[in-house]
Amino acid sequence: MSGRPMPDNSSDNPEGDSAPGYSHKRPAYEPDEQLVKRPTGPVVPYAELHCHSNFSFLDGVSDPEELIEEAVRLGLDALAITDHDGFYAASRFAEAALAYDLRTIYGAELSLGLNTPQNGVADPEGQHLLVLARGVEGYHRLAGAITEAQLRGDEKGRPSYAVEELAAQSSGSWMILTGCRKGAVRQALITSGLAGAAAELDRLRALFGNDHVVVELIDHGLPTDSDLNDALISVAHDHNLPVVATNNVHFATPDGGRLGAALAAVRARRSLSDMDGWLCGPGAHLRSGAEMAQIFARYPGVVARTVEIADQCAFNLRLAKPRL
C-alpha cells in the first residue's frame, strides 16, 4: 500500500527470494540532492519534537530516511525520533540526518501500565510518557531505563516501568512532554477537567522537576483539538510552564494517512470501519514551520519554542558511544 516497489535482492539470493529482509547487509544511505531540496526562501524556524517512524511497529508508517528527507524539504531546524519503547530507528535516522546536516533529537514514547502486549487492541491500555534526551547523557540514561523495563517485562511487547524509578534515572537529563491523548495530562483533562490536568502536571513536576516538563499542543484538525489546546494553555500558564506545538507525526507526508489507517487496523485485528474513532488524525504528518505557525497562530511562541528545546537536546549520535 505504500506504493514502493519491492527491492531486487537477486544478487544476494540465488534462489530468487525477493523478500526485503533476505539480505543481511543494508547498504549505506545515499543522499539524493536532486530529489531532496531545501527551501530556497526564508523559513519559519521549527523543530518537530514528536515523531514516530515505522519502527513503532504497526503505528508509524515512514522509514527513518523518509522522515529525514521530508524534514529537509520542509526546512525544519531539527527533527526528533520518539518511537515506542526503544531506539530501534536511531542509527538509520542519524545516518540520513548526517547526510543533510539536519540536527537530530532522540527520545521515546514510553508505555506505562501495560498488563499484556497491545496487539489486537483498538485502544491500547495504560498511558504514554514522552521523553526527550537532553544530549548524550540523557540518551544513555534513557537507553538504560528502557533496557531495564524491557528485561523486567515477562513477555515481548510489555515493558514494565516504574515512574518513580524513571524520575530517579533521569537525573535532570530528560525533557518530559505531556504527549498525545494517551499522555496522563490529556487523559486527565478529558476525564476530570482542568483540575485533573493540573493535578497530573503537578505530579510530573514533582517527579522530574519544574525545568524539565513542557506542555504539548497537537492539532490534527479534529473537532476537539482547539478546545483541548485552549485548556492545556490555561493549565500551563497557571503552572508557569513552557508550551510547544508538535504534530505527533506518524507519517512523513499527507498521503501516508491511508497506509497508517490500514496498519492501525492490522494492529488491532479489526476492520477499518471498526477502527473509526481510534485512528490518528489525517494531519499527523510533518509540516513546515510556516504551516505550524498558521495552525497555532492563537498561541504565540509555541512554534518558536520548539527550536529552544532542540537547542537543549539535539546532538550527533556518533558522540554516544555504547557503554558495553
Side-chain angles (χ1 to χ4, degrees):
M1 292 185 72
S2 71
R4 295 191 300 271
M6 292 289 286
D8 179 9
N9 291 336
S10 56
S11 60
D12 294 325
N13 180 9
E15 297 180 2
D17 187 340
S18 62
Y22 183 87
S23 172
H24 292 288
K25 296 181 180 179
R26 181 177 63 85
Y29 177 76
E30 294 289 342
D32 190 333
E33 299 288 353
Q34 297 302 313
L35 292 177
V36 183
K37 296 182 179 180
R38 300 178 186 274
T40 55
V43 298
V44 175
Y46 173 62
E48 179 55 65
L49 303 177
H50 188 167
C51 181
H52 296 276
S53 76
N54 56 6
F55 282 81
S56 287
F57 187 55
L58 296 179
D59 188 32
V61 170
S62 303
D63 293 335
E65 295 85 355
E66 292 178 84
L67 293 167
I68 291 293
E69 290 166 357
E70 184 62 13
V72 172
R73 290 189 191 98
L74 294 172
L76 298 193
D77 185 87
L79 181 62
I81 190 75
T82 55
D83 284 317
H84 294 297
D85 304 299
F87 290 134
Y88 315 106
S91 60
R92 288 175 54 176
F93 184 78
E95 184 182 15
L98 191 61
Y100 298 104
D101 196 27
L102 179 70
R103 294 201 296 168
T104 50
I105 303 162
Y106 298 89
E109 193 168 63
L110 307 183
S111 304
L112 310 180
L114 299 184
N115 292 310
T116 61
Q118 295 300 289
N119 283 342
V121 180
D123 185 27
E125 68 178 345
Q127 295 178 339
H128 290 167
L129 182 69
L130 189 67
V131 180
L132 300 180
R134 300 179 75 166
V136 174
E137 179 64 23
Y139 176 87
H140 284 308
R141 287 180 176 274
L142 182 53
I146 292 172
T147 299
E148 289 179 17
Q150 295 285 14
L151 291 173
R152 188 186 298 139
D154 54 6
E155 53 188 323
K156 183 177 175 63
R158 196 189 73 85
S160 178
Y161 301 98
V163 180
E164 292 76 14
E165 288 183 14
L166 290 172
Q169 288 167 311
S170 71
S171 190
S173 64
W174 299 346
M175 191 70 75
I176 307 298
L177 272 60
T178 53
C180 62
R181 68 180 182 86
K182 301 295 292 184
V185 174
R186 278 181 177 263
Q187 279 191 343
L189 179 61
I190 293 169
T191 59
S192 305
L194 290 172
E200 286 297 337
L201 266 183
D202 286 335
R203 186 174 72 95
L204 288 177
R205 291 197 306 171
L207 285 166
F208 295 98
N210 198 66
D211 294 334
H212 307 290
V213 177
V214 179
V215 175
E216 177 179 355
L217 307 184
I218 301 168
D219 192 328
H220 287 165
L222 300 176
T224 58
D225 285 347
S226 293
D227 289 341
L228 287 173
N229 287 336
D230 286 347
L232 288 168
I233 280 282
S234 174
V235 175
H237 287 172
D238 289 344
H239 287 70
N240 197 29
L241 288 174
V243 185
V244 296
T246 83
N247 218 39
N248 186 17
V249 172
H250 284 70
F251 31 93
T253 59
D255 58 8
R258 180 168 173 258
L259 179 57
L263 291 175
V266 171
R267 183 186 71 243
R269 299 173 192 152
R270 285 165 168 77
S271 69
L272 279 170
S273 60
D274 290 336
M275 287 296 292
D276 190 29
W278 304 117
L279 300 174
C280 63
H285 55 83
L286 287 170
R287 299 182 188 269
S288 68
E291 190 173 3
M292 292 295 285
Q294 183 178 18
I295 293 171
F296 292 94
R298 298 167 62 190
Y299 315 113
V302 299
V303 172
R305 196 168 290 113
T306 62
V307 179
E308 298 173 12
I309 300 297
D311 291 342
Q312 299 178 45
C313 297
F315 70 96
N316 184 336
L317 190 64
R318 286 182 173 176
L319 299 176
K321 297 179 181 179
R323 297 174 179 175
L324 301 179

